[in-house]
Amino acid sequence: MTFSGILTVVWYSALPWLWLISVMLVAFLVPQLLARMKSYSFTSKGGMGSKYIPPLVVLLAFFLVPLQTQSSLAYVNTWVDWMNLIGVSIGLGFYAWLVFHPICFMRNSK
Amino acid sequence: MPKKHLPFESVSRRDLLKLGLGAGVVGPLALSSRGAKAVNTQAHIVIVGAGAGGLSMANRLTNSLQGAKITIIDTREKHYYQPGWTLVASGVWNQDKTVTDIVDWLPKSVNWVKGHVAEYDPDNNRVLLEDGQAVSYDQLIVASGLQLRYDLIQGMDVDLIGQGKGVGSVYASMDASAKTNEEIKRWISKGGGTGLFNLPPTALKCAGAPIKMTFTTLHRLEDTGRREQFNVEFMTPSGGLFSVPFYNDFIKQRFSEQGVTRNDLWTLKAIDADAKKATYSVKGGEDQVKDYDFIHVVPPMTAGAALENSPLAFQPNENFKGWMKVDRETLQNPDYFNVWGIGDVMGMPSNKTAASVKMQAKVLEENFLASLQGKPLTAKHNGYTSCPMITAIGKAMLVEFGWDSKLLPSFSFIDPKKESWTVWVMKERMLRPAYYAMLEGKI
Ligand SMILES: Cc1cc2nc3c(=O)[nH]c(=O)nc-3n(C[C@H](O)[C@H](O)[C@H](O)COP(=O)(O)OP(=O)(O)OC[C@H]3O[C@@H](n4cnc5c(N)ncnc54)[C@H](O)[C@@H]3O)c2cc1C
């Protein structure tokens, strides 16, 4: 497949989710920028939220992602299915950390 | 329940361009520049049919030719993503997800004649339209798909679909697939009764669709918790369910595990929609009449009268009689070297899928350009076809094969013989984007 072919497929796949991608981008960028104005870095101390919410998100994603695709955990069957589900869940957990870590940092530094 | 519409879901490419959304992102999709190695020609190329094959070729040839005049002939204003209709009829998708405007996929330089070809006259290099207009060509690409012959089933009319008479058919149209979903819901809400699922006695597009409809309906019946109240029967005119032996055996096994009664060598002959009775001719036996609460009708399919009655079709003494005659590897008509085929219209084993069109388009473009330059035709179609076999709402198998039913898996890491959630997600989320990229001639 050509590069422009891949871009085209990615574009059409993302199209229904542009609103969500935008919301997630804002939810990621705003706390990051605000916290960085107060000298936040990834190694800064977070808080309860950044400790417990990301694993909770991973756990929830594990059940909810198959449901979101109109499927169910019972149909996650092959090793590729498991790798995909684990990958997506961990990715969402990491995203939650990226959002909540700077928020907790800002609360701490109030 | 079909999902609610998401924002941007049915926004056309044209609307997005109007919105001016990130030219950097849309750029590669929208403004196709002519390929660096464009072939110069003054030829008039006529494409019959603006479906999956016709649009793909219009886009590909616009990019790869310089100076050509390209004309496409079709009466339809709308383009339908037909592979999505199984999801619509299974209550998974909203029907709006399957329709776009043809004009959004056509390059501006392509001349669109809104007409229907009534006659092919390859000896004089022209086609005649229903309104009497003649369109001459130097090169002809036939991409007219196939015709659904509901008229060959006595008493059957597509208008019966969705009238509360238990008649459904995923093939008939986008609306019909939504109405089929309504009919299935009505049957389920009755709490019991008989559902008859059929295969036609001819070649059919997406040969897996009638089976997918059976599996998704079984899923819905099982979800009621009262599966034993419903009798499900599947009729096969040939005795076979699928052309690849592994999948044929798999489906047979699954049907018996899920309590589906198979009636082999039964062909749907007539229906009496008011009485809810279906008549079957049975090979080697007497006609049988079955009562039903829901029937999924799959009509006989042919290449359409214009093609069948033309010198471009396989003759009655040949295999694939009535379908378009092409060399199955080069996609060129062996009698008229300036006539080519793509898609469902062609006479060849299986290959009536959009997935086949995707592979054929590449081969056809390469051979078409070679022929214009007087070079030998070296690209060869390997018979690739594919169908994500949905075995329940939420899981599927990635069935991909070529000539002689040889499995041709695209992804080494996906086991083609296992049901998988990933394959379901591909079917539900990725194949429509890939199809659109194909229409644009990008893949
Ligand atoms: C319910 C269903 C499920 C499917 N599922 C899958 C799937 O899962 N995977 C897959 O790969 N494929 C699937 N398909 C098959 C796929 O949609 C077709 O194989 C594909 O669309 C074929 O492309 P085509 O260009 O040959 O025909 P089409 O896309 O049907 O286009 C033919 C065009 O020609 C026009 N036309 C016809 N006759 C004339 C004439 N005489 N003059 C002018 N114009 C004419 C028609 O108006 C139409 O626009 C499915 C199809 C259906 C119906």
Side-chain angles (χ1 to χ4, degrees):
Chain A
M1 209 191 286
T2 60
F3 181 63
S4 108
I6 293 169
L7 270 186
T8 312
V9 177
V10 169
W11 168 248
Y12 283 118
S13 306
L15 209 53
W17 303 104
L18 284 183
W19 65 276
L20 184 62
I21 294 168
S22 315
V23 169
M24 286 178 78
L25 208 66
V26 171
F28 160 66
L29 285 176
V30 170
Q32 284 284 337
L33 289 176
L34 290 177
R36 270 164 210 278
M37 289 196 291
K38 295 182 178 172
S39 69
Y40 162 79
S41 76
F42 288 139
T43 51
S44 305
K45 193 173 175 321
M48 295 278 275
S50 58
K51 207 170 187 179
Y52 294 115
I53 294 178
L56 194 70
V57 168
V58 173
L59 204 71
L60 281 177
F62 212 72
F63 293 95
L64 296 182
V65 167
L67 284 184
Q68 203 287 324
T69 61
Q70 310 240 50
S71 185
S72 84
L73 192 58
Y75 293 155
V76 177
N77 176 34
T78 63
W79 68 267
V80 178
D81 290 352
W82 285 110
M83 294 300 285
N84 282 334
L85 183 58
I86 292 168
V88 169
S89 303
I90 291 176
L92 287 171
F94 180 60
Y95 171 80
W97 184 84
L98 287 174
V99 172
F100 285 101
H101 194 245
I103 292 175
C104 291
F105 169 83
M106 284 191 287
R107 278 185 56 147
N108 290 345
S109 55
K110 260 186 193 165
Chain B
M1 282 291 285
K3 273 195 179 167
K4 286 224 176 70
H5 229 50
L6 292 167
F8 292 112
E9 194 96 78
S10 59
V11 175
S12 72
R13 188 171 60 136
R14 179 161 292 196
D15 291 337
L16 283 168
L17 292 174
K18 274 194 223 143
L19 284 170
L21 268 176
V25 189
V26 189
L29 317 174
L31 311 163
S32 53
S33 58
R34 214 153 251 138
K37 284 187 267 168
V39 172
N40 280 306
T41 177
Q42 298 297 310
H44 181 205
I45 299 154
V46 170
I47 302 172
V48 180
L55 289 173
S56 303
M57 288 317 296
N59 278 294
R60 280 178 174 270
L61 296 180
T62 300
N63 286 330
S64 54
L65 294 175
Q66 186 88 52
K69 181 180 169 202
I70 303 177
T71 298
I72 198 161
I73 305 174
D74 203 319
T75 42
R76 274 192 200 157
E77 301 272 341
K78 298 285 181 194
H79 179 79
Y80 297 101
Y81 173 61
Q82 300 171 45
W85 291 351
T86 349
L87 295 173
V88 174
S90 302
V92 179
W93 270 15
N94 186 304
Q95 67 186 88
D96 298 351
K97 274 177 97 163
T98 64
V99 62
T100 49
D101 291 322
I102 283 188
V103 73
D104 279 341
W105 303 108
L106 267 186
K108 281 208 173 59
S109 60
V110 171
N111 172 36
W112 181 7
V113 173
K114 290 182 185 159
H116 194 85
V117 171
E119 196 183 323
Y120 291 89
D121 181 8
D123 290 316
N124 295 303
N125 291 328
R126 59 179 201 159
V127 291
L128 299 168
L129 307 190
E130 269 175 355
D131 64 5
Q133 195 188 334
V135 181
S136 300
Y137 58 78
D138 298 309
Q139 299 283 337
L140 176 70
I141 296 176
V142 183
S144 52
L146 52 69
Q147 242 186 2
L148 301 168
R149 301 296 306 274
Y150 288 99
D151 58 305
L152 297 179
I153 302 166
Q154 229 178 72
M156 176 61 195
D157 186 329
V158 287
D159 290 339
L160 291 169
I161 300 168
Q163 287 199 358
K165 294 182 175 180
V167 180
S169 182
V170 71
Y171 282 95
S173 65
M174 178 182 77
D175 285 338
S177 59
K179 286 176 182 166
T180 298
N181 176 42
E182 293 305 319
E183 290 287 6
I184 294 171
K185 276 205 274 193
R186 234 172 258 141
W187 174 39
I188 293 172
S189 66
K190 274 172 71 175
T194 293
L196 305 178
F197 292 79
N198 298 277
L199 278 178
T202 61
L204 71 164
K205 56 178 156 184
C206 189
I211 294 160
K212 296 181 212 178
M213 282 312 302
T214 314
F215 277 131
T216 59
T217 308
L218 284 169
H219 180 126
R220 297 165 82 176
L221 297 177
E222 285 162 7
D223 265 1
T224 63
R226 285 172 283 114
R227 168 67 182 87
E228 67 289 350
Q229 305 291 320
F230 297 90
N231 170 39
V232 178
E233 301 194 26
F234 196 95
M235 322 310 200
T236 67
S238 69
L241 290 161
F242 204 80
S243 61
V244 182
F246 171 81
Y247 297 108
N248 189 52
D249 295 345
F250 174 89
I251 299 162
K252 274 187 180 166
Q253 171 75 21
R254 222 2 110 70
F255 275 0
S256 59
E257 283 164 15
Q258 291 188 267
V260 177
T261 306
R262 254 184 29 246
N263 296 295
D264 287 337
L265 310 178
W266 285 40
T267 303
L268 181 61
K269 188 175 154 186
I271 69 168
D272 180 342
D274 291 325
K276 292 193 170 179
K277 285 183 190 299
T279 307
Y280 288 88
S281 60
V282 180
K283 202 170 175 188
E286 288 189 354
D287 285 2
Q288 297 286 331
V289 178
K290 285 261 179 194
D291 292 316
Y292 64 82
D293 296 280
F294 172 75
I295 184 165
H296 186 248
V297 178
V298 182
M301 303 184 196
T302 61
L307 196 285
E308 280 165 59
N309 301 326
S310 81
L312 299 180
F314 278 109
Q315 296 309 300
N317 56 341
E318 294 175 299
N319 270 343
F320 310 110
K321 163 182 97 151
W323 296 95
M324 187 189 175
K325 189 172 188 174
V326 287
D327 177 298
R328 71 180 196 174
E329 289 184 332
T330 63
L331 310 182
Q332 186 183 42
N333 181 283
D335 305 319
Y336 300 91
F337 292 163
N338 62 342
V339 180
W340 311 78
I342 186 166
D344 295 349
V345 70
M346 298 187 295
M348 51 177 70
S350 309
N351 264 263
K352 300 199 188 309
T353 64
S356 298
V357 169
K358 177 172 148 267
M359 294 312 227
Q360 293 160 1
K362 275 187 220 150
V363 171
L364 178 51
E365 181 188 12
E366 223 176 299
N367 285 338
F368 190 87
L369 297 184
S371 154
L372 285 181
Q373 298 172 91
K375 294 180 183 167
L377 313 184
T378 49
K380 288 188 176 7
H381 179 46
N382 63 0
Y384 177 88
T385 190
S386 165
C387 155
M389 177 61 71
I390 299 172
T391 51
I393 297 176
K395 61 177 172 175
M397 283 161 119
L398 192 53
V399 175
E400 297 175 286
F401 59 98
W403 304 135
D404 305 322
S405 304
K406 185 174 171 233
L407 296 190
L408 297 174
S410 301
F411 307 97
S412 56
F413 51 89
I414 292 184
D415 187 338
K417 295 182 174 176
K418 280 209 170 121
E419 294 165 282
S420 147
W421 168 63
T422 307
V423 176
W424 165 261
V425 175
M426 282 170 75
K427 166 78 187 167
E428 214 254 315
R429 297 283 153 89
M430 301 298 296
L431 291 189
R432 191 177 62 136
Y435 178 91
Y436 287 162
M438 174 190 82
L439 291 188
E440 293 197 358
K442 297 280 198 253
I443 60 167

